[in-house]
């Protein structure tokens, strides 16, 4: 497992394939994923009994299929994500190893999701007590997991903190008894407990989470056979950030699991539910520089991707590493630049901090027509894309074993207006 990230500001290839060739073949903007990075990150987590991919991070069915082939199971937060999991070859119910390949984790059932859960016998991780009754009314005798809010949380931004009383996520830890009664009324058994306190968590908070999990399992009792650590494993997006120590992360959870196993007298499976950790570093958003302009003291590189393609900077002030692909492969002097996109909105800037403050990045001198890569864009990149300014969603390409595969066509202009009608 690596300890820190390295972020050169100039590059020519992704996974051995020339970026200029990729751009010529697939055009820009295009997300390019390196399959080998995903496989490596999955390997890092093999100490856990089960890795359940939080597909919300990057849900292209080719990525799900890749994860499935590595024995990773999947989480779904919507009817759409259940459909994706099924399309990628995951099955409902329990498989031959007694594993729920798909788990539906949400704070509500919408009508479609509840129908699908019933139709495909999908295990549910309930994030609200009402879900127990809604499931029970359609299907008695089910097994469920409860997603608990332990009363505190942590995240890389206030918007990704999912614990504490400000959060809408999960079942408040003081409502376990009430949930047991609701479950009993429908013959439902609580077999799992899950806690995800936020995206971008750290070890200090983890010890607290593990303690809260142990307490909650004791309260539910010996029907519990699975605990889930949720997601939240961070990845470094710049040289100041580092990976979490996975051995320590695992040992904290493992010792809670062992305490519980000895108290309950039966084995307990330990799941982890990463999204970002598996997908972030595999993904690069390849763009073309379409304008280089001076505005007083600032030089702007304007590229053909905007926050319609990568929303993290405008939403959270997130920092993404950036590199320039010089056409002649030469080393160029660095200049301080602001990198922005094509949208008719002044916030369409990739180099911004939380609060919208524009910052500069030291990048090689570049010209119109050269390519610029927004890196670490595999997680919460394409999935948070939009059609704002009537921009088609970007294409997606996966590089596997030295070959580039188109895994999502660029949206067409017909796709953009699909379903829209003029008045009769
Ligand atoms: N499990 C649950 C129940 C979650 O809510 C999430 C993320 C995950 C797992 C995966 O978390 P991860 O391992 O990826 O940190 N759009 C934001 C992140 C929102 C995360 C929402 N829930 C971003 O771009 O940083």
């Amino acid at each position: 497992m690596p300890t820190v990230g390295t972020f050169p500001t100039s590059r020519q290839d992704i996974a051995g394939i020339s970026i200029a060739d990729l751009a010529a073949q697939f055009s820009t903007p295009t997300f390019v994923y390196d399959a080998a990075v995903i496989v490596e990150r999955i390997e890092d987590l093999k100490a856990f009994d089960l890795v359940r991919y939080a597909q919300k991070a990057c849900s292209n069915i080719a990525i799900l299929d890749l994860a499935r082939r590595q024995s990773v199971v999947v989480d779904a937060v919507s009817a759409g994500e259940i459909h994706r999991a099924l399309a990628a070859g995951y099955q409902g119910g329990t498989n031959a190893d007694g594993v729920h390949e798909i788990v539906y984790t949400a704070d509500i059932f919408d009508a479609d999701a509840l129908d699908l859960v019933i139709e495909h016998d999908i295990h549910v991780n309930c994030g609200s007590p009402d879900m127990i009754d809604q499931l029970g009314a359609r299907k008695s005798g089910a097994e469920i997991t409860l997603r608990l809010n332990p009363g505190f949380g942590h995240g890389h931004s206030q918007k990704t903190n999912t614990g504490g009383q400000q959060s809408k996520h999960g079942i408040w830890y003081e409502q376990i008894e009430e949930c047991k009664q609701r479950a009993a009324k429908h013959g439902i058994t609580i077999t799992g407990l899950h806690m995800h306190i936020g995206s971008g968590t750290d070890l200090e908070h983890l010890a607290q989470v593990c303690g809260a999990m142990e307490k909650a399992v004791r309260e539910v009792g010996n029907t519990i056979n699975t605990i889930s650590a949720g997601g939240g494993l961070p990845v470094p997006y710049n040289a100041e950030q580092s990976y979490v120590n996975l051995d320590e992360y695992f040992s904290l959870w493992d010792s809670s699991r062992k305490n519980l196993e000895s108290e309950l007298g039966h084995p307990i499976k330990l799941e982890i539910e990463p999204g970002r950790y598996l997908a972030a570093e595999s993904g690069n958003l390849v763009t073309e520089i379409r304008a280089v302009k001076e505005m007083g003291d600032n030089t702007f590189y304007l590229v053909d991707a905007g926050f319609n393609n990568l929303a993290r900077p405008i939403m959270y002030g997130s920092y993404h590493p950036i590199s320039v692909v010089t056409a002649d492969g030469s080393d160029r002097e660095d200049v301080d630049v602001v990198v922005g996109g094509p949208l008719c909105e002044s916030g369409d800037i990739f180099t911004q901090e939380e609060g919208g403050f524009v910052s500069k990045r030291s990048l090689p001198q570049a010209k119109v027509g050269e390519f610029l890569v927004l890196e670490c864009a595999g997680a919460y990149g394409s999935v948070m894309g939009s059609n704002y300014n009537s921009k088609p969603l970007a294409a997606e390409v996966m590089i596997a074993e030295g070959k580039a595969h188109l895994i999502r066509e660029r949206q067409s202009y017909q796709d953009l207006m699909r379903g829209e009608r003029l008045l009769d």
Side-chain angles (χ1 to χ4, degrees):
M1 199 204 103
T3 52
V4 289
T6 46
F7 305 101
T9 55
S10 159
R11 70 192 293 185
Q12 293 294 324
D13 74 283
I14 298 173
I17 301 193
S18 139
I19 293 168
D21 289 351
L22 289 165
Q25 188 178 352
F26 301 105
S27 181
T28 54
T30 291
F31 283 93
V32 179
Y33 307 99
D34 179 353
V37 173
I38 299 177
V39 172
E40 248 174 59
R41 292 293 168 267
I42 292 170
E43 274 291 298
D44 293 344
L45 302 176
K46 61 177 183 302
F48 289 83
D49 296 324
L50 215 50
V51 178
R52 185 172 299 284
Y53 176 46
Q55 65 167 296
K56 77 198 80 180
C58 187
S59 56
N60 185 296
I61 57 175
I63 304 247
L64 301 188
D65 182 49
L66 174 72
R68 188 180 58 77
R69 288 166 194 273
Q70 305 297 317
S71 306
V72 167
V73 291
V74 74
D75 178 59
V77 299
S78 64
E81 287 194 355
I82 295 175
H83 279 297
R84 287 180 174 280
L86 294 168
Y90 287 105
Q91 51 175 289
T94 41
N95 67 16
D97 301 324
V99 169
H100 304 294
E101 292 190 1
I102 309 173
V103 167
Y104 175 77
T105 298
D107 297 299
I108 65 156
F109 281 121
D110 57 29
D112 286 356
L114 185 53
D115 286 348
L116 269 180
V117 156
I118 301 295
E119 184 189 342
H120 293 278
D121 187 23
I122 308 278
H123 185 83
V124 178
N125 180 10
C126 299
S128 301
D130 289 316
M131 292 174 72
I132 303 172
D133 298 318
Q134 288 159 354
L135 182 68
R138 294 280 295 272
K139 182 181 167 191
S140 58
E143 295 187 346
I144 58 168
T145 293
L146 299 185
R147 174 183 179 176
L148 293 179
N149 176 340
F152 56 86
H154 187 62
H156 69 72
S157 134
Q158 201 38 44
K159 292 178 191 150
T160 62
N161 181 342
T162 60
Q165 57 184 347
Q166 309 278 38
S167 168
K168 66 178 177 138
H169 294 296
I171 291 173
W172 191 243
Y173 67 103
E174 288 168 322
Q175 273 185 298
I176 293 179
E177 189 47 46
E178 179 196 329
C179 290
K180 280 172 76 173
Q181 285 166 17
R182 288 190 194 224
K185 215 168 66 197
H186 302 286
I188 286 177
T189 313
I190 304 167
T191 57
L193 285 187
H194 169 285
M195 276 181 197
H196 170 86
I197 59 159
S199 230
T201 188
D202 58 36
L203 289 171
E204 212 178 292
H205 289 85
L206 193 65
Q208 246 182 310
V209 184
C210 291
M213 176 64 92
E214 287 186 40
K215 198 159 168 275
V217 172
R218 285 180 198 117
E219 239 181 295
V220 176
N222 68 359
T223 53
I224 297 294
N225 58 32
T226 306
I227 55 173
S228 171
L233 282 182
V235 299
Y237 286 92
N238 62 46
E240 278 89 60
Q241 298 172 344
S242 54
Y243 293 92
V244 86
N245 182 322
L246 283 180
D247 293 337
E248 279 180 46
Y249 188 94
F250 174 75
S251 331
L252 277 169
W253 275 111
D254 192 39
S255 67
S256 286
R257 177 251 294 273
K258 284 182 177 140
N259 290 344
L260 292 167
E261 281 181 336
S262 72
E263 285 171 39
L264 300 185
H266 63 246
I268 301 218
K269 277 210 183 84
L270 176 57
E271 281 195 19
I272 187 164
E273 196 176 73
R276 185 186 321 276
Y277 190 75
L278 300 197
E281 295 156 298
S282 84
N284 300 282
L285 177 56
V286 177
T287 74
E288 184 177 332
I289 299 173
R290 299 299 304 158
V292 176
K293 64 180 182 183
E294 311 292 332
M295 301 288 230
D297 291 338
N298 288 330
T299 302
F300 283 77
Y301 287 176
L302 296 188
V303 300
D304 59 3
F307 70 71
N308 56 310
N309 302 113
L310 181 63
R312 301 190 72 253
I314 195 172
M315 273 193 77
Y316 319 111
S318 298
Y319 182 103
H320 280 264
I322 298 177
S323 55
V324 165
V325 186
T326 52
D328 50 6
S330 64
D331 279 339
R332 308 238 181 103
E333 218 176 286
D334 283 346
V335 277
D336 286 343
V337 294
V338 177
V339 179
L343 302 181
C344 240
E345 184 147 335
S346 47
D348 187 26
I349 296 292
F350 290 115
T351 47
Q352 65 177 289
E353 290 159 25
E354 200 154 10
F357 300 103
V358 169
S359 64
K360 293 186 191 174
R361 192 76 66 89
S362 191
L363 291 175
Q365 267 177 350
K367 299 190 282 280
V368 168
E370 291 186 310
F371 301 107
L372 180 144
V373 184
L374 292 150
E375 298 174 350
C376 278
Y380 308 106
S382 86
V383 287
M384 286 172 63
S386 77
N387 287 132
Y388 188 46
N389 280 197
S390 289
K391 293 281 188 184
L393 294 179
E396 294 180 278
V397 167
M398 184 192 277
I399 301 180
E401 314 208 337
K403 197 165 172 269
H405 306 262
L406 183 64
I407 58 170
R408 181 193 188 121
E409 290 171 18
R410 183 176 312 286
Q411 243 183 348
S412 69
Y413 292 103
Q414 284 76 23
D415 292 338
L416 267 187
M417 287 175 276
R418 194 165 159 232
E420 291 183 30
R421 297 189 187 184
L422 299 174
L423 296 185
D424 291 334

